Amino acid sequence: MKIGFIGLGIMGTPMVKHLLEADHTLFVNSRSGLPPSLAGYQLTVCASGKQVAEQADAIITMLPDTPDVDAVLFGSKGVSEANLAGKVVVDMSSISPIETKKFANRIEQLGGHYLDAPVSGGEVGARAASLSIMVGGPQIIFEKMLPVLQLMGKNITRVGDNGDGQTAKVANQMVVALTIEAVGEALLFASHAGANPEMVRQALLGGFASSKILEVHGERMVKRTFDPGFRIALHQKDLNLALKSAQEMGLALPATALAQQLFNSCVAQGGEAWDHSAMICALERLSDFSISAQ
Amino acid sequence: MKIGFIGLGIMGTPMVKHLLEADHTLFVNSRSGLPPSLAGYQLTVCASGKQVAEQADAIITMLPDTPDVDAVLFGSKGVSEANLAGKVVVDMSSISPIETKKFANRIEQLGGHYLDAPVSGGEVGARAASLSIMVGGPQIIFEKMLPVLQLMGKNITRVGDNGDGQTAKVANQMVVALTIEAVGEALLFASHAGANPEMVRQALLGGFASSKILEVHGERMVKRTFDPGFRIALHQKDLNLALKSAQEMGLALPATALAQQLFNSCVAQGGEAWDHSAMICALERLSDFSISAQ
């Protein structure tokens, strides 16, 4: 398939490699030019989203935030300036569910199709082609693009119509943040009560308290390995999507709001680029006690 | 081994059966007499904790709350009125870590040994002998009692010294409550945003958001099956242990406090005996929106 790919960052670059290695024809565009690691591959570098969309049948975007996707799709020399009849836009960025529904509408009015297909799994998942992909959009378009998505991910679910993929991604990030807080408070309590937090973590694995977060992020908390992983600043962006949407919809999310405040506390401590498991540092500050104090 | 067992409720009764089926000699005591389901077995019914402790080498207690254990061990005709030299008290109830340390000290001063060994897994785990058991106490006593514990549970961890088993259990209950809240807020958000909560739940399984709670309690939230399971009133007791201990230790647990308030809201709705996954009902009340509204 002729595939366009816009956004060659730490996620986009390994994803493009998987598509190239499956013999797809790639038309790429990136604000920062072609990454050195793609130098040896045969692909076409385009000057704009419009140029990408003129040549490709499916256009994948993998960008940091909602305004970036807006600009690439609908800005000057954007994707929407090409003839989109029968073409598919697949936005794999993590952006606003509400804006996504508007973007999908606009692309369809131009004769194109739209899937929102945000991912979970980070750089490691992108490299290993093991990303979870949460898809919103028409079933028939999902089926058409599924073989392409399967080159980049493993747990691929069509959640529902346009926007529902992004909604699932926001929900995913809420669960992750709040489970980090759950594990953080529990380990802090146990440690302050005199127990060894690592032994408590092990005792809790296997029962109803077990989770991927207890396994991975719980270990990070005990070992104080806060190199990302997933940066707190990015998780703040995701929780902002939740809290902003919640306010617009008239929905109360008390624990999500609390988790965001704890991330704010981490940033106040200089932790913008720490791994999100470092939320424990904000909990520790509240009580002037560290689980590593023993 | 001559084993005493005090407390023949919904947990204790199946646990006693496993001990009997492994050919241990049982001396039992229960406030409410011998349950009918134990009628066919060969065991000795005792009139008091003292009588149990006079005849058994190890005395297991499985009782609702801290004052119950206190009364059975140190009250009139309690366990401590027997000669405890060389005997082991194993408290498998879920009670205060702080009081547990005092109980252990008193038993040791009487010449006995003490293990706190609270469990996770509920009635189902008790019946299947698959309980997680979190143990605090001396290593040598743990090793002595391990074969007996293995008749009742599977994931058996010595967390540390006396009290640490109960501390781990409280931490377990904190993680469970807060993860229920995480899943509840996320499904509520997704549903209010127009997505199908069951599809979102499925999309989140397998990634970093996955947990036993998302799997089991998430499904309960979607299907509205709030028969216990684990009663909200019992979970309130556990979070009270966390919050009371935290206040005594000088520790801030903001999300645990919030989760307790949401359980309070469930009780205000008449949900004392609902399964703890019904915390979603409190979140729904906050916004006058149910995830089953679609």
Side-chain angles (χ1 to χ4, degrees):
Chain A
M1 193 186 286
K2 291 179 181 173
I3 301 176
F5 206 106
I6 302 173
L8 300 174
I10 59 167
M11 296 295 289
T13 301
M15 292 162 79
V16 161
K17 279 187 194 174
H18 297 309
L19 300 177
L20 286 165
E21 281 156 11
D23 290 330
H24 286 292
T25 307
L26 266 287
F27 301 87
V28 303
N29 172 255
S30 174
R31 281 178 295 195
S32 46
L34 196 70
S37 66
L38 286 176
Y41 292 89
Q42 200 172 2
L43 47 71
T44 305
V45 179
C46 301
S48 67
K50 181 184 176 186
Q51 267 191 28
V52 169
E54 278 168 345
Q55 299 178 83
D57 298 318
I59 304 104
I60 298 174
T61 50
M62 191 60 181
L63 297 160
D65 207 349
T66 310
D68 306 299
V69 177
D70 194 2
V72 155
L73 294 183
F74 306 108
S76 167
K77 297 193 182 166
V79 167
S80 63
E81 290 186 4
N83 178 357
L84 292 181
K87 299 192 174 188
V88 184
V89 172
V90 184
D91 179 34
M92 302 188 76
S93 324
S94 291
I95 68 165
S96 160
I98 294 170
E99 294 303 310
T100 288
K101 290 177 191 180
K102 296 178 191 166
F103 294 168
N105 261 330
R106 291 172 73 180
I107 294 295
E108 281 178 3
Q109 279 166 13
L110 294 166
H113 308 289
Y114 192 98
L115 294 179
D116 45 302
V119 306
S120 170
E123 189 182 352
V124 172
R127 286 180 186 277
S130 66
L131 295 166
S132 286
I133 310 181
M134 294 152 264
V135 187
Q139 177 72 26
I140 193 169
I141 306 299
F142 172 69
E143 284 167 15
K144 182 179 173 184
M145 293 306 299
L146 187 56
V148 172
L149 297 177
Q150 283 168 334
L151 296 172
M152 299 178 282
K154 273 182 180 152
N155 182 26
I156 304 170
T157 310
R158 180 182 171 265
V159 179
D161 295 330
N162 281 130
D164 290 352
Q166 295 293 355
T167 294
K169 175 66 195 286
V170 173
N172 187 81
Q173 296 303 86
M174 290 170 65
V175 172
V176 169
L178 273 57
T179 310
I180 287 174
E181 179 161 10
V183 171
E185 287 203 12
L187 294 184
L188 187 66
F189 172 84
S191 178
H192 204 297
N196 180 325
E198 175 52 22
M199 291 306 297
V200 171
R201 190 184 75 88
Q202 284 177 30
L204 267 52
L205 285 171
F208 268 120
S210 70
S211 64
K212 196 81 182 161
I213 298 293
L214 179 64
E215 203 182 313
V216 176
H217 299 71
E219 188 178 32
R220 276 174 166 271
M221 291 177 196
V222 173
K223 292 193 176 165
R224 321 302 285 183
T225 49
F226 296 141
D227 302 324
F230 190 76
R231 284 182 174 73
I232 282 174
L234 284 172
H235 214 146
Q236 287 185 296
K237 185 200 91 174
D238 293 332
L239 295 191
N240 274 342
L241 286 178
L243 295 169
K244 191 162 172 281
S245 300
Q247 187 170 1
E248 286 170 23
M249 297 190 294
L251 192 67
L253 299 176
T256 305
L258 173 54
Q260 184 74 314
Q261 298 309 308
L262 293 172
F263 280 144
N264 290 355
S265 166
C266 291
V267 172
Q269 297 176 47
E272 199 174 74
W274 293 345
D275 184 73
H276 50 175
S277 58
M279 188 198 278
I280 184 84
C281 299
L283 291 166
E284 290 173 339
R285 272 291 172 100
L286 286 174
S287 304
D288 194 23
F289 174 83
S290 166
I291 65 169
S292 62
Q294 303 194 312
Chain B
M1 193 187 286
K2 292 178 180 172
I3 301 176
F5 205 107
I6 303 174
L8 300 173
I10 59 166
M11 295 295 290
T13 301
M15 291 162 80
V16 161
K17 279 187 193 173
H18 297 307
L19 299 177
L20 286 164
E21 282 156 10
D23 290 330
H24 287 291
T25 308
L26 266 286
F27 303 87
V28 304
N29 172 256
S30 174
R31 281 177 296 195
S32 47
L34 196 71
S37 67
L38 286 177
Y41 292 88
Q42 198 171 4
L43 47 71
T44 305
V45 178
C46 302
S48 67
K50 182 184 176 185
Q51 266 190 29
V52 169
E54 278 168 345
Q55 299 177 82
D57 298 317
I59 304 102
I60 298 173
T61 50
M62 192 60 180
L63 298 160
D65 207 347
T66 311
D68 306 300
V69 177
D70 194 2
V72 155
L73 294 184
F74 306 109
S76 168
K77 296 193 182 166
V79 167
S80 62
E81 290 186 4
N83 178 357
L84 292 181
K87 298 192 174 187
V88 184
V89 172
V90 184
D91 179 33
M92 303 187 74
S93 324
S94 292
I95 67 166
S96 160
I98 293 169
E99 294 304 310
T100 288
K101 290 177 193 182
K102 295 177 189 164
F103 294 169
N105 260 332
R106 290 172 71 179
I107 294 294
E108 281 178 4
Q109 279 165 14
L110 294 166
H113 307 287
Y114 192 97
L115 294 179
D116 45 302
V119 306
S120 170
E123 189 182 354
V124 173
R127 286 180 187 277
S130 66
L131 295 166
S132 286
I133 310 181
M134 294 151 265
V135 187
Q139 176 72 26
I140 193 167
I141 307 300
F142 171 70
E143 284 167 15
K144 183 179 174 183
M145 294 307 299
L146 187 56
V148 172
L149 297 176
Q150 283 168 335
L151 296 171
M152 299 178 281
K154 272 181 181 154
N155 182 25
I156 304 170
T157 310
R158 180 181 171 264
V159 179
D161 295 330
N162 282 130
D164 290 353
Q166 295 293 355
T167 295
K169 176 66 194 285
V170 173
N172 187 81
Q173 297 303 87
M174 290 170 65
V175 171
V176 169
L178 273 57
T179 310
I180 287 173
E181 178 161 12
V183 170
E185 288 203 14
L187 294 184
L188 188 65
F189 172 84
S191 179
H192 204 297
N196 180 326
E198 175 53 21
M199 291 306 297
V200 171
R201 191 184 74 88
Q202 284 177 29
L204 268 51
L205 285 170
F208 268 119
S210 71
S211 65
K212 196 82 183 160
I213 299 295
L214 179 65
E215 203 182 314
V216 175
H217 299 70
E219 188 179 32
R220 277 175 166 270
M221 292 177 196
V222 173
K223 292 191 175 165
R224 320 303 283 183
T225 50
F226 296 141
D227 303 326
F230 190 76
R231 283 181 174 73
I232 281 174
L234 284 172
H235 214 147
Q236 287 185 297
K237 186 200 90 175
D238 293 331
L239 294 192
N240 274 342
L241 285 179
L243 295 168
K244 191 162 172 282
S245 301
Q247 187 169 359
E248 286 170 22
M249 298 190 293
L251 192 67
L253 300 175
T256 306
L258 173 55
Q260 184 74 312
Q261 298 309 307
L262 294 171
F263 280 144
N264 291 354
S265 166
C266 290
V267 172
Q269 297 177 47
E272 200 173 73
W274 293 344
D275 184 72
H276 50 174
S277 57
M279 189 197 277
I280 185 84
C281 299
L283 290 167
E284 289 173 341
R285 271 293 171 98
L286 286 175
S287 304
D288 194 24
F289 174 84
S290 164
I291 65 169
S292 63
Q294 303 195 312

